[in-house]
Amino acid sequence: SQQGEEDPQALSIQEGENATMNCSYKTSINNLQWYRQNSGRGLVHLILIRSNEREKHSGRLRVTLDTSKKSSSLLITASRAADTASYFCATVPGNQFYFGTGTSLTVIP
Amino acid sequence: SAVISQKPSRDICQRGTSLTIQCQVDSQVTMMFWYRQQPGQSLTLIATANQGSEATYESGFVIDKFPISRPNLTFSTLTVSNMSPEDSSIYLCSVATGAQEAFFGQGTRLTVV
């Protein structure tokens, strides 16, 4: 399977705290992306990091990539209740997108 | 960006029947994909829908069970054939131009009884 694995599977934090989730994958990649899915809805793209990049920022999001370890992390700073959702990494070895197992984040107001 | 309209949004079907799901995009896109997402699980890629040729299926998925059409660059269908309760899932259409960003429809929630 080309599916990545994420941990933790579930994460519960207080509003204002930071949330970190990790993704490990198996294949070579062109890039790695993170998506968010609110309950019962389609996925929304958050951020993309290319295979030759090590870190990228977008607003309250920070993504790191370590291709030698085939791993990535997503940090959400100063979390809000509206950040409650499932988060998936997606690896893109060619033109297909393979999604990780996901982290369910709950931010408690 | 791309806006995807997926129909139906949900359906309840009898076992042994088939359901065709439609995916319409508001712009021409090179890549179209079909995913399955079982409750509380991740997305599993079923196949890549190729315009004008047969779809490319992932391991574990076959054309007889999930026939796919893609007559042009803005439209695709996925049929779930001879359904059983194990096919109950959310089916998602996705599009991308290159490998930059994938856009998703709202999904079809299928229940087989």
Side-chain angles (χ1 to χ4, degrees), chain B residues 3-82:
Chain B
V3 177
I4 300 170
S5 173
Q6 192 173 329
K7 293 191 288 189
S9 59
R10 60 178 61 224
D11 207 341
I12 301 173
C13 300
Q14 296 289 324
R15 67 177 67 200
T17 63
S18 298
L19 175 72
T20 295
I21 302 167
Q22 298 181 2
C23 177
Q24 178 74 54
V25 191
D26 69 341
S27 58
Q28 294 187 342
V29 291
T30 52
M31 312 294 290
M32 292 184 80
F33 309 99
W34 288 98
Y35 290 87
R36 181 173 71 185
Q37 185 178 29
Q38 294 177 316
Q41 303 296 314
S42 184
L43 285 74
T44 301
L45 180 61
I46 298 172
T48 302
N50 301 308
Q51 192 266 327
S53 65
E54 198 169 283
T56 304
Y57 289 84
E58 296 293 308
S59 176
F61 297 96
V62 295
I63 187 171
D64 289 347
K65 177 66 176 177
F66 297 101
I68 288 171
S69 78
R70 188 174 177 193
N72 56 52
L73 292 175
T74 64
F75 185 78
S76 177
T77 66
L78 168 75
T79 298
V80 186
S81 303
N82 189 24

Side-chain angles (χ1 to χ4, degrees), chain A residues 19-21 34 47 49 54-64 72-77:
Chain A
T20 299
M21 49 204 86
W34 286 87
I47 192 167
I49 186 166
R54 292 296 167 258
E55 186 171 314
K56 199 160 184 180
H57 296 252
S58 177
R60 293 185 296 113
L61 305 179
R62 173 178 168 253
V63 172
T64 62
S72 174
S73 68
L74 172 68
L75 169 67
I76 303 173
T77 61

Side-chain angles (χ1 to χ4, degrees), chain A residues 31 33 35 37 48 97-98 100, chain B residues 33 35 37 42 58 99-100 102:
Chain A
N31 65 67
Q33 303 176 27
Y35 288 78
Q37 183 180 38
L48 177 155
F97 294 68
Y98 296 96
Chain B
F33 309 99
Y35 290 87
Q37 185 178 29
S42 184
E58 296 293 308
Q100 301 307 305

Side-chain angles (χ1 to χ4, degrees), chain A residues 1 10 20 28-29 33 35-36 46-48 62 79 85 93 103 106:
Chain A
S1 168
T20 299
S28 299
I29 59 171
Q33 303 176 27
Y35 288 78
R36 183 179 76 189
L46 294 176
I47 192 167
L48 177 155
R62 173 178 168 253
S79 64
T103 294
T106 301

